[in-house]
Amino acid sequence: MAAIFLIFGFAAHQSWQTYILWEKSEVAKMLLPPYKNLDYFIFYSRNRFFVPYFLSLSVGLLFLIGAQLINKKYQERFFERIEPYLLATVLFVVGHPLWLFYLVILLAANFLFSIFYFLFSKKKDYRLSFYYFWLSAGIFTILISKWLSALPWWTLLKL
């Protein structure tokens, strides 16, 4: 809940700062009242600051519900009790479209760790827990976001 309040509070702050910046600019103030209706600014702020996090919040909630259902069906075989909440929180915090890259990083890491564990472990039946990796992968995704945003197909994923 704290992440939701912080992210959307920050989005509201960014909207307010954008309004102030536009108000001081000779050209941009033409996009604000009394020259234009306030609807344009609201549309801009909603799409620029809020919609990416609404999308990632929706995806996070879907993954939370799905992970809990799967875990319950298979007697908590896949996740520890807190792990679905960590996954959902990180999916929300990284935003859209970074949540897609976050999932790719998770799948790749899980695949590599599983192969490594299978090859070098004496125990062949195991349960690989990502308890400490959910947040680390999210931080890593945020850190590489500058390079990811330079990719040519980034604009296709962005709204």
Side-chain angles (χ1 to χ4, degrees):
M1 292 307 289
I4 292 171
F5 287 120
L6 285 172
I7 294 288
F8 286 118
F10 184 66
H13 175 72
Q14 285 180 309
S15 298
W16 177 250
Q17 291 299 314
T18 302
Y19 187 89
I20 291 171
L21 182 70
W22 285 13
E23 203 173 40
K24 292 179 182 177
S25 169
E26 290 299 318
V27 176
K29 76 178 176 183
M30 299 296 177
L31 299 172
L32 298 173
Y35 304 104
K36 274 224 185 237
N37 198 347
L38 190 59
D39 292 344
Y40 177 78
F41 179 76
I42 292 171
F43 175 79
Y44 174 83
S45 294
R46 184 193 67 200
N47 288 345
R48 177 86 170 139
F49 304 121
F50 289 93
V51 169
Y53 288 104
F54 278 126
L55 284 172
S56 65
L57 178 62
S58 302
V59 169
L61 289 174
L62 285 174
F63 271 85
L64 173 65
I65 293 166
Q68 286 178 330
L69 289 174
I70 288 171
N71 216 27
K72 185 177 180 180
K73 182 177 180 179
Y74 293 100
Q75 292 82 32
E76 297 189 11
R77 178 178 169 195
F78 298 111
F79 303 106
E80 292 181 25
R81 194 174 61 82
I82 192 73
E83 285 184 276
Y85 294 99
L86 291 173
L87 172 63
T89 302
V90 175
L91 282 170
F92 168 61
V93 170
V94 297
H96 178 78
L98 281 179
W99 65 268
L100 294 164
F101 295 101
Y102 174 70
L103 290 177
V104 169
I105 289 168
L106 279 178
L107 291 172
N110 192 335
F111 179 72
L112 292 174
F113 288 153
S114 295
I115 288 175
F116 181 79
Y117 193 87
F118 181 76
L119 292 176
F120 296 108
S121 175
K122 306 240 187 278
K123 247 177 24 172
K124 293 303 175 191
D125 65 333
Y126 68 97
R127 180 180 166 267
L128 180 62
S129 174
F130 264 49
Y131 187 82
Y132 297 104
F133 193 70
W134 299 112
L135 295 175
S136 309
I139 291 169
F140 177 72
T141 306
I142 291 170
L143 289 175
I144 66 169
S145 65
K146 182 175 175 99
W147 293 289
L148 292 173
S149 65
L151 295 173
W153 38 273
W154 176 267
T155 53
L156 294 175
L157 298 173
K158 197 115 170 104
L159 294 177

